[in-house]
Amino acid sequence: SNREPILGGDLINISLMFTDIKDFTVLSERLTPDALAQALGRYLEVVTAAIRATGGTVDKFIGDAVMTFWNAPAHHEGHAKLACRAALGCMRAAQQLYASPGWKPLPPLFTRYGLHKATVMVGHFGSPERLSYTALGDGVNVAARLESLCKQYDVASLASEAIVAGARDEFAFRLIDRVAVKGRHEAIRVYELLGTLEEARAKQGVVDR
């Protein structure tokens, strides 16, 4: 719009996704800095492509972690579904990368995903000399906590009740637990994202609808 960004933002309902690679520190200790940068670059390239294919905004890279949200700055209907589609797309893209000749001899990596939908402040924050377009608020913290909880339950993804409510007509989820994530007193139900409904029907197991 040919306008300089200004400090501040607006309350917007968005879907968020945090990702992180399991034991990435171990891998970084095995590789030279140059080899590590190349491997991480290839991984982030395919993950970013999967996210952008759903209209997601890549907020930032935090080492090997990625913070993404939907419905800002561009409006997207059904953004909870887009977040689920992106998480599954990232998983498929990463598996294709690990099976490619260019990835050898590196081992396949395991990425955890945290998904949440909430109304948060979205805009430009920081100092007048350096602004960053990002999202702030309790909902952002919940999404990050869900990603870290994946380790406790040994699953690749955890989604909040808000995500399930907005995506259950296209995606299948399995109820994992009712937990009070760190920093919050109120407990929420957390679910594992199993895949699309079609994919879930092809698998055995109990699906929470």
Side-chain angles (χ1 to χ4, degrees), residues 161 178-181 184-189:
E161 296 176 79
R178 183 178 173 87
V179 299
V181 297
R184 301 189 85 194
H185 298 294
E186 183 181 351
I188 62 171
R189 290 184 176 89

Side-chain angles (χ1 to χ4, degrees), residues 3-44:
R3 292 183 300 169
E4 289 294 323
I6 59 174
L7 187 66
D10 300 299
L11 285 173
I12 304 176
N13 186 260
I14 63 174
S15 292
L16 299 115
M17 180 174 74
F18 276 80
T19 77
D20 195 36
I21 298 175
K22 176 184 177 182
D23 296 331
F24 185 76
T25 302
V26 176
L27 178 66
S28 65
E29 292 173 349
R30 292 174 45 193
L31 301 177
T32 65
D34 181 61
L36 178 66
Q38 291 187 28
L40 183 59
R42 291 197 294 270
Y43 166 81
L44 293 176

